[in-house]
Amino acid sequence: MNKVLLICGSNRKGNTEYILTQLSNYLNNCELILLRNKNIEYCKGCLACHYNNECIIKDDIKLIIRQLINANLIVFGVPNYFDNVSGLFKNFIDRLHPLFKSQQLKNKKVIFIFVGGGNEKGTEIELHNAIKGISKYLLIDIKKEFSFKALNKDDAQQQIDKIEYVANEIKKYI
């Protein structure tokens, strides 16, 4: 079982991925999932998972859900796209519906890393609002939310001290 599961919701190899990769270097017994490299189809809204706790779509989501259930701590890296989560991350959230009625993530410890090009506080406020549904319906236990200002390609690389601080904060929940 992985103690820490890091999930990157960015469509590109950019600041969010850089931050999570660096965090994985500071943490023991962790795995980083890059959603951009996974085959995750769009939710069809068929509600089959609502009744049998499993999605009928045959793609990578079943394995990711198993990894989420088995993790002791989940860290979601979420880029800010127009004061919301990326489309890739939203699609991922939609596909977590099998976990709603089964409550298999109930009280699961979760940390969010928000990354946006604007003001850190603004990014934190907007993305906190954007993830309220996942928290409410999956009954996860959000331990911390961290926000980074990183717009240009190498902005996150200038924040190694903050990344190390966040890694130390994450270790408190392992």
Side-chain angles (χ1 to χ4, degrees):
M1 172 184 351
N2 291 316
K3 280 188 164 185
V4 181
L5 183 63
L6 304 155
I7 297 186
C8 182
S10 180
N11 298 308
R12 64 189 177 96
K13 185 174 182 165
N15 290 305
T16 306
E17 184 174 326
Y18 178 81
I19 291 166
L20 291 182
T21 300
Q22 292 305 307
L23 288 173
S24 72
N25 292 333
Y26 287 105
L27 303 170
N28 295 323
N29 197 14
C30 67
E31 181 176 354
L32 172 59
I33 295 175
L34 305 174
L35 293 179
R36 68 181 170 86
N37 292 338
K38 298 297 181 184
N39 175 27
I40 302 173
E41 293 185 31
Y42 292 103
C43 176
K44 298 180 184 332
C46 68
L47 291 178
C49 66
H50 194 73
Y51 300 104
N52 64 19
N53 298 328
E54 189 172 302
C55 185
I56 62 169
I57 300 171
K58 304 299 182 213
D59 62 7
D60 293 334
I61 203 69
K62 186 182 277 189
L63 174 61
I64 296 171
I65 284 176
R66 195 171 325 119
Q67 291 172 292
L68 288 166
I69 292 168
N70 289 328
N72 290 343
L73 174 68
I74 302 165
V75 178
F76 291 117
V78 186
N80 182 346
Y81 284 26
F82 289 100
D83 289 339
N84 212 321
V85 300
S86 67
L88 177 64
F89 193 73
K90 174 61 171 103
N91 183 52
F92 168 71
I93 289 171
D94 290 347
R95 293 295 306 284
L96 297 181
H97 190 87
L99 297 169
F100 167 54
K101 286 189 74 174
S102 69
Q103 296 187 352
Q104 290 177 312
L105 292 187
K106 184 177 182 177
N107 299 319
K108 181 73 67 174
K109 296 181 288 189
V110 174
I111 292 174
F112 281 92
I113 309 290
F114 302 135
V115 183
N119 174 290
E120 282 184 15
K121 190 63 178 169
T123 293
E124 185 176 341
I125 289 168
E126 296 302 332
L127 292 189
H128 171 80
N129 287 330
I131 57 99
K132 280 183 179 177
I134 189 175
S135 174
K136 176 182 174 182
Y137 293 105
L138 298 184
L139 305 171
I140 58 176
D141 181 10
I142 300 176
K143 294 298 188 182
K144 287 275 198 177
E145 296 173 3
F146 299 97
S147 186
F148 285 81
K149 181 178 181 180
L151 175 65
N152 298 309
K153 184 176 185 278
D154 298 327
D155 285 350
Q157 294 177 23
Q158 309 306 315
Q159 300 180 58
I160 296 299
D161 289 344
K162 183 172 183 179
I163 294 169
E164 186 175 357
Y165 166 78
V166 170
N168 287 325
E169 289 296 304
I170 290 171
K171 288 177 184 178
K172 294 177 182 178
Y173 299 100
I174 298 175

